[in-house]
């Protein structure tokens, strides 16, 4: 009967106290830990790649007439970091933050607001401004950027018209 | 497999005259047999009883958008050949589809037949049927897995309640089955005579989450389902995500870098370490030996930190994508991994030795909850439960996948079939896993870890099995456009719960909690049992700790 107890005492003595007194001590995190994400609004183009890759719908797009909002809701986030993988600008950073408990739902939300470009022909708003700016910069100067400023619908119309003109119709 | 490509594999020859056609699927790892409905029972009987195949699962599929009818796939495996056999039965009826039930020949098909009846309305004829998966108030005419039911469909709330049917013994006050505070809602009714359990009734599926349907929905794609699959289980999630990606990769002929296969196998073993140590702790806790529980979990914690170090997360690793893994194991990490492995092996040895040497613990494990070999084979049980009952089944050996063909390890097998055997199988597996990880690290080839260039053809099949800590996890997949057309998951506990009936019958009530826990069913079921005294008909609720418990260790 004595033996098992002795074994227990030996083991317990050997290992000592292992409990970390969190939150008075630092939490047990390795350098690889993935927590909440942060979006750098100054870099983000609003391309939506992260929204498409997010498995849990934690990232969504809210659109209104002239504004496009990229909404991150940490309450749905599974901290997979896929969004950071696919983001073409590196706007998303995976942080180590995990202490997210709150009694205000808004605390879990981050919103990146992008103004949308206005189409000079029909006046409708379409792509987010930074995205347009990037595409324009990428393209050669010349005829293309004028089309770039036009919304897809008007662009189609202009294109068709031009084609017809070329064919002499 | 050294069979000729155009010939039906030797073992399946007896079926030649009964099948219409056959073909290789899944990169030559499985055979699909087209069988007419009237031959199904005979084919299943020969396959199961004469050829000696194990039954894995069955899946109903709504194939009306493809060719106008429904279909049922029965999936068997011949362990010795590492060969999966899929019986494909077409059902021409658009309304009231049916197939003959094979349950009389193959008892293990019991639940999955009821499942396709619930989910697709395919009637398994010639057997008793009842609702299994759908909640009692789900509308009779909505079959959720049919393609014309939208994935977000929510039925109206039930307005009235129905009385619960009484069991086969005197009825009393029905209590449960939901428990707000404890792990998962599963529900057992134990019928007792005095202290002896005479029968058991189980009612589960209270938390059916519709994951298979969700994966077919337009809001998912092949890569996103990987993360969904990982959430099937909180303990062996990586197993599910591996089984799923492997199914997609094999069906879609996606090349996977070898290094990625090594990393996956390594993480599967890390997951097994944590799962077995978790189980060991909970088993000690159920037997009232909380010191054992705490020390087992102390050792387990090291494996959790290791998992985070390797993947970024303690659980739900988020490592898999179709085509490989997301994070490499860099050479700097290796020494730390090896150090942790040493600590885990040494710690486990001491703690396991400490736990089983406590006489009260040992007595309650030895000779209790016996599952005889015959019963184990008849029910096609899997994992440590099978291995403790003398069945030498381990998917890692029988159907080698990932990097398991390149490592050597032992498969512990015990013949007693009692709770102690199941404990020892798991403890020994911890040491084997440690060795496997060391070998994997040693032999890991250099190179890429992710292939993102792939394109998956629709209408291809794969059956994958992965040895989870609690047994064989089987996924069956039909590819679709951009996402699976049908994805069927059979978790190991699904195969093991029916074995509780033979285990519990005729044993002391006090041993029931540990016996139920001994199949490692994610533990939830242990805390919800209804005890009915057959003589008085009195019902009461049994919580985790029965009255009899080990109080002192002195
Ligand atoms: S971490 Fe994952 S779940 Fe969270 S926002 Fe990014 S992609 Fe979505
Ligand atoms: S965060 Fe990155 S991926 Fe997401 S919208 Fe902005 S630029 Fe695109």
């Amino acid at each position: 009967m004595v033996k098992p107890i002795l074994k227990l005492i030996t083991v317990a003595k050997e290992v000592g106290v292992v409990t970390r007194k969190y939150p008075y001590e630092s939490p047990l995190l390795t350098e690889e830990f993935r927590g909440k994400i942060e979006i750098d609004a100054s870099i983000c183009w609003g391309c939506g790649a992260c929204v498409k890759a997010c498995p849990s719908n934690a990232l969504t797009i809210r659109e209104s007439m002239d504004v496009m909002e990229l909404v991150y809701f940490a309450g749905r986030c599974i901290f997979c970091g896929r969004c950071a993988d696919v983001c073409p600008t590196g706007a998303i950073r995976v942080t180590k933050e995990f202490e997210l408990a709150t009694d205000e739902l808004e605390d879990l939300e981050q919103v990146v607001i992008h103004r949308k470009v206005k189409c000079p022909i029909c006046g409708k708003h379409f792509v987010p401004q930074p995205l347009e700016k990037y595409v324009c910069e990428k393209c050669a100067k010349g005829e293309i950027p004028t089309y770039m400023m036009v919304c897809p619908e008007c662009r189609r119309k202009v294109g068709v018209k031009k084609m017809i003109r070329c064919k002499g119709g | 497999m050294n069979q000729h490509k155009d010939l039906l594999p030797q073992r399946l020859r007896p079926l030649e005259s009964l099948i219409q056609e056959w073909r290789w699927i899944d990169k030559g790892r499985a055979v699909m047999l087209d069988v007419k409905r009237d031959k199904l029972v005979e084919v299943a009987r020969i396959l199961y009883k004469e050829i000696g195949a194990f039954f894995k699962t069955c899946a109903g599929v709504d194939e009306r958008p493809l060719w106008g009818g429904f279909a049922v796939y029965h999936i068997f495996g011949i362990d010795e050949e590492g060969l999966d056999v899929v019986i494909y039965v077409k059902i021409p009826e658009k309304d009231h589809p049916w197939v003959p039930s094979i349950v009389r020949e193959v008892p293990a098909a019991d639940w999955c037949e009821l499942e396709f009846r619930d989910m697709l309305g395919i009637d398994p004829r010639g057997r008793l049927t009842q609702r299994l998966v759908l909640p009692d108030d789900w509308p009779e005419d909505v079959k959720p897995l049919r393609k014309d039911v939208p994935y977000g469909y929510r039925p109206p709330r039930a307005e009235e309640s129905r009385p619960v049917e009484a069991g086969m013994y005197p009825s009393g006050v029905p209590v449960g089955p939901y428990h707000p505070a404890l792990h998962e809602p599963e529900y057992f009714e134990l019928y007792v005579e005095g202290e002896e359990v005479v029968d058991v009734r189980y009612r589960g599926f209270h938390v059916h989450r519709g994951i298979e349907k969700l994966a077919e929905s337009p809001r998912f794609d092949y890569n996103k389902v990987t993360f969904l699959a990982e959430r099937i289980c909180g303990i062996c999630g990586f197993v599910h995500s591996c089984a799923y990606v492997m199914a997609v990769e094999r069906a879609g002929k996606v090349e996977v870098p070898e290094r990625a296969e090594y990393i996956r196998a390594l993480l599967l073993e890390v997951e097994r370490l944590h799962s077995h140590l978790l189980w060991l702790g909970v088993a000690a806790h159920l037997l009232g030996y909380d010191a054992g529980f705490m020390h087992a979990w102390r050792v387990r914690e090291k494996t959790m930190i290791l998992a985070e170090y390797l993947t970024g997360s303690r659980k739900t690793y988020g490592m898999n994508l179709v085509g490989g893994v997301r994070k490499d194991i860099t050479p700097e990490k290796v020494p730390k991994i090896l150090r942790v492995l040493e600590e885990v092996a040494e710690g486990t040895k001491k703690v396991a030795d400490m736990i089983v040497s406590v006489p009260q613990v040992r007595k309650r494990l030895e000779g209790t909850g016996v599952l005889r070999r015959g019963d184990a084979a008849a029910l096609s049980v899997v994992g440590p439960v099978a291995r403790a009952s003398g069945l030498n089944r381990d998917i890692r050996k029988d159907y080698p996948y990932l990097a398991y063909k390149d490592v050597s390890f032992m498969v512990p097998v015990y013949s007693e079939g009692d709770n102690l055997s199941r404990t020892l199988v798991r403890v020994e597996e911890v040491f084997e896993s440690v060795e496997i990880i060391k070998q994997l690290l040693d032999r890991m080839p250099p190179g890429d870890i992710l292939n993102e260039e792939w394109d998956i053809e629709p209408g291809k099949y794969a059956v994958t099995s992965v040895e989870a800590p609690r047994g064989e996890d089987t996924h069956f997949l039909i590819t679709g456009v951009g996402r699976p057309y049908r994805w069927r998951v059979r978790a190991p506990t699904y195969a093991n719960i029916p074995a509780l009936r033979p285990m519990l019958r005729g044993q002391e009530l006090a041993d029931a909690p540990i016996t139920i826990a001994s199949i490692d069913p994610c533990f939830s079921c242990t805390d919800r049992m209804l005890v009915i005294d057959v003589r008085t008909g009195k019902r009461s609720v049994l919580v985790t700790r029965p009255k009899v418990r080990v109080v002192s260790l002195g």
Side-chain angles (χ1 to χ4, degrees):
Chain A
M1 270 319 116
V2 190
K3 238 177 115 205
I5 269 271
L6 271 184
K7 272 186 191 164
L8 172 62
I9 293 171
T10 328
V11 172
K13 264 225 139 107
E14 234 174 66
V15 292
V17 178
V18 293
T19 311
R20 175 106 40 133
K21 288 209 177 69
Y22 173 79
Y24 305 107
E25 285 180 64
S26 61
L28 265 177
L29 293 185
T30 66
E31 61 265 31
E32 302 286 343
F33 179 75
R34 287 189 309 257
K36 180 184 166 220
I37 62 155
E38 250 170 36
I39 311 169
D40 186 338
S42 65
I43 309 181
C44 171
W45 294 335
C47 70
C50 52
V51 176
K52 202 156 176 286
C54 176
S56 67
N57 279 1
L59 285 161
T60 45
I61 287 179
R62 235 174 4 216
E63 296 226 41
S64 56
M65 241 259 288
D66 56 348
V67 168
M68 175 248 183
E69 293 174 329
L70 174 64
V71 185
Y72 169 59
F73 179 58
R76 298 194 66 135
C77 182
I78 58 172
F79 313 113
C80 62
R82 273 292 282 158
C83 46
D85 288 359
V86 300
C87 176
T89 64
I92 298 184
R93 192 171 66 93
V94 179
T95 71
K96 301 220 178 312
E97 202 179 321
F98 68 96
E99 292 150 314
L100 303 174
T102 171
D103 47 16
E104 294 292 337
L105 213 55
E106 292 89 76
D107 293 351
L108 297 177
E109 218 175 63
Q110 190 197 346
V111 184
V112 177
I113 303 170
H114 289 299
R115 295 214 170 279
K116 290 200 276 191
V117 179
K118 195 169 163 187
C119 170
I121 300 180
C122 67
K124 225 173 69 191
H125 295 266
F126 62 114
V127 288
Q129 280 172 356
L131 186 59
E132 195 229 19
K133 196 164 148 246
Y134 167 77
V135 178
C136 286
E137 272 166 17
K138 271 259 163 186
C139 292
K141 293 268 178 302
E143 203 183 359
I144 308 161
T146 33
Y147 279 110
M148 207 63 70
M149 314 301 281
V150 177
C151 80
E153 223 168 275
C154 293
R155 195 181 313 152
R156 206 174 311 126
K157 282 185 199 153
V158 174
V160 171
K161 252 191 215 152
K162 200 176 163 197
M163 218 155 70
I164 294 171
R165 239 195 341 263
C166 286
K167 283 194 176 163
Chain B
M1 265 174 293
N2 47 2
Q3 285 109 356
H4 195 279
K5 255 182 74 193
D6 308 323
L7 290 179
L8 193 62
Q10 189 66 34
R11 288 282 286 268
L12 299 176
R13 293 283 158 78
L15 297 171
E16 202 140 29
S17 61
L18 293 166
I19 58 178
Q20 287 186 296
E21 273 204 41
W22 71 275
R23 71 199 87 97
W24 289 105
I25 55 165
D26 193 358
K27 284 184 165 175
R29 285 161 202 263
V31 170
M32 183 175 277
L33 312 174
D34 291 353
V35 175
K36 280 220 151 165
R37 264 196 301 206
D38 54 342
K39 297 280 190 320
L40 172 63
V41 178
E42 183 62 4
V43 170
R45 187 187 65 76
I46 297 176
L47 200 52
Y48 195 61
K49 299 217 165 125
E50 290 175 19
I51 299 177
F54 277 98
F55 182 74
K56 293 193 168 183
T57 189
C58 61
V61 182
D62 179 2
E63 297 192 344
R64 288 173 304 168
L66 303 179
W67 58 270
F70 287 87
V72 162
Y73 297 80
H74 283 287
I75 301 157
F76 290 82
I78 305 177
D79 283 5
E80 305 88 62
E81 315 262 331
L83 178 72
D84 285 316
V85 183
V86 181
I87 304 181
Y88 175 44
V89 193
K90 278 186 162 184
I91 305 167
E93 289 92 345
K94 276 200 170 58
D95 306 305
H96 308 293
W98 65 274
V99 279
S101 163
I102 61 165
V103 95
R104 223 168 280 170
E105 307 299 337
V106 187
D110 184 11
W111 279 4
C112 69
E113 284 193 350
L114 292 177
E115 209 177 324
F116 65 60
R117 176 177 175 270
D118 276 12
M119 304 303 276
L120 287 133
I122 301 172
D123 187 29
R125 281 201 187 162
R127 58 165 289 174
L128 280 176
T129 54
Q130 97 249 359
R131 250 189 201 191
L132 181 77
V133 193
L134 290 181
D136 291 329
D137 59 351
W138 186 273
E140 198 54 58
D141 52 345
V142 181
K143 306 297 175 193
L145 269 183
R146 289 193 179 182
K147 294 285 178 188
D148 45 11
V149 178
Y151 82 93
Y153 170 80
R154 279 163 198 252
R157 249 166 196 274
E159 292 299 328
E160 54 195 67
S161 60
R162 240 172 297 165
V164 181
E165 48 161 324
M168 30 208 149
Y169 294 99
S171 58
V173 189
V175 190
Y178 299 100
H179 197 293
L182 300 165
H183 321 261
E184 280 171 82
E186 279 166 317
Y187 172 74
F188 284 90
E189 273 185 21
L190 299 183
Y191 299 98
V192 296
E193 263 181 31
E195 280 296 306
E196 192 191 320
V197 179
V198 293
D199 210 342
V200 188
R201 200 168 68 126
Y202 170 78
R203 175 87 167 86
F205 302 99
H206 299 115
V207 278
H208 196 281
R209 291 164 288 173
I211 284 183
E212 289 174 12
K213 179 79 182 178
L214 194 55
E216 298 170 6
S217 76
R219 86 164 242 25
F220 273 90
D221 60 27
Y222 280 121
N223 267 337
K224 287 187 195 176
V225 176
T226 319
F227 297 91
L228 179 68
E230 195 153 34
R231 278 152 183 83
I232 291 173
C233 175
I235 299 176
C236 47
F238 193 66
V239 167
H240 286 285
S241 106
C242 278
Y244 164 78
V245 282
M246 279 160 56
V248 176
E249 286 157 2
R250 267 155 49 177
K253 301 208 169 67
V254 178
E255 288 296 327
V256 186
E258 217 187 341
R259 188 170 175 88
E261 302 210 314
Y262 268 71
I263 295 177
R264 281 182 189 164
L266 190 146
L267 291 172
L268 282 171
E269 293 310 312
V270 171
E271 190 166 65
R272 191 181 323 279
L273 286 178
H274 107 76
S275 178
H276 280 355
L277 288 167
L278 176 144
W279 182 85
L280 186 67
V282 176
H285 169 68
L286 282 173
L287 295 172
Y289 185 48
D290 276 349
F293 159 65
M294 284 172 208
H295 281 282
W297 279 45
R298 167 180 59 76
V299 179
R300 168 181 178 264
E301 181 61 22
K302 294 183 198 294
T303 68
M304 301 302 283
I305 298 170
L306 178 65
E308 186 192 300
Y309 181 61
L310 295 178
T311 68
S313 193
R314 288 163 65 91
K315 275 312 308 165
T316 49
Y317 306 149
M319 279 288 273
N320 275 330
L321 284 181
V322 172
V325 294
R326 297 174 56 203
K327 201 188 272 258
D328 202 0
I329 295 180
T330 49
E332 307 89 79
K333 291 190 174 176
V334 176
K336 185 162 173 190
I337 304 173
L338 292 174
R339 202 168 62 238
V340 174
L341 290 177
E342 283 313 317
E343 289 168 7
V344 169
E346 199 194 329
T348 309
K349 198 159 174 290
K350 283 188 184 153
V351 171
D353 178 46
M354 183 179 100
I355 292 175
V356 292
S357 68
V358 176
Q360 290 91 330
V361 170
R362 200 176 174 97
K363 271 202 190 118
R364 299 213 25 217
L365 290 173
E366 218 162 16
T368 56
V370 176
L371 178 68
R372 268 180 229 95
R373 193 175 196 278
D375 288 333
L379 291 166
S380 286
V381 297
V382 295
V385 178
R387 295 194 278 277
S389 291
L391 300 179
N392 187 357
R393 304 190 67 194
D394 190 320
I395 304 302
R396 292 174 293 176
K397 285 260 194 231
D398 301 337
Y399 305 77
Y401 52 95
L402 298 176
Y404 287 109
K405 54 188 181 314
D406 303 339
V407 291
S408 67
F409 60 99
M410 287 202 320
V411 178
V413 178
Y414 282 75
S415 55
E416 288 82 356
D418 59 357
N419 289 331
L420 185 65
S421 311
R422 288 188 282 276
T423 309
L424 295 177
V425 165
R426 291 194 180 98
V427 170
E428 282 178 38
E429 282 181 13
V430 168
F431 304 122
E432 293 303 324
S433 290
V434 167
E435 290 309 314
I436 293 174
I437 298 175
K438 283 190 200 158
Q439 292 176 40
L440 287 171
L441 281 174
D442 195 34
R443 293 180 199 162
M444 195 173 288
D448 280 350
I449 54 166
L450 182 61
N451 162 21
E452 288 184 288
E453 308 288 314
W454 44 261
D455 191 22
I456 290 165
E457 225 183 298
K460 301 286 175 215
Y461 301 93
V463 184
T464 47
S465 298
V466 172
E467 184 73 26
R470 30 192 75 61
E472 174 196 36
D473 176 31
T474 299
H475 285 217
F476 171 65
L477 186 113
I478 309 177
T479 56
V481 182
R483 63 188 64 83
Y485 183 80
R486 177 83 169 89
W487 169 47
R488 164 90 183 133
V489 178
R490 204 247 23 217
T493 303
Y494 198 93
N496 282 341
I497 283 189
L500 282 174
R501 210 164 171 201
M503 282 185 199
L504 286 166
R505 268 187 189 155
Q507 71 157 313
E508 299 262 315
L509 177 60
D511 292 326
I514 182 64
T515 300
I516 292 174
S518 76
I519 68 161
D520 196 0
C522 304
F523 308 114
S524 49
C525 26
T526 44
D527 26 21
R528 202 70 200 145
M529 290 189 292
L530 194 67
V531 183
I532 303 167
D533 193 316
V534 176
R535 279 173 303 197
T536 62
K538 207 176 102 204
R539 287 183 172 215
S540 54
V541 174
L542 187 68
V543 285
T544 332
R545 297 217 188 140
K547 273 173 278 166
V548 203
R549 53 177 283 225
V550 187
V551 189
S552 82
L553 294 164

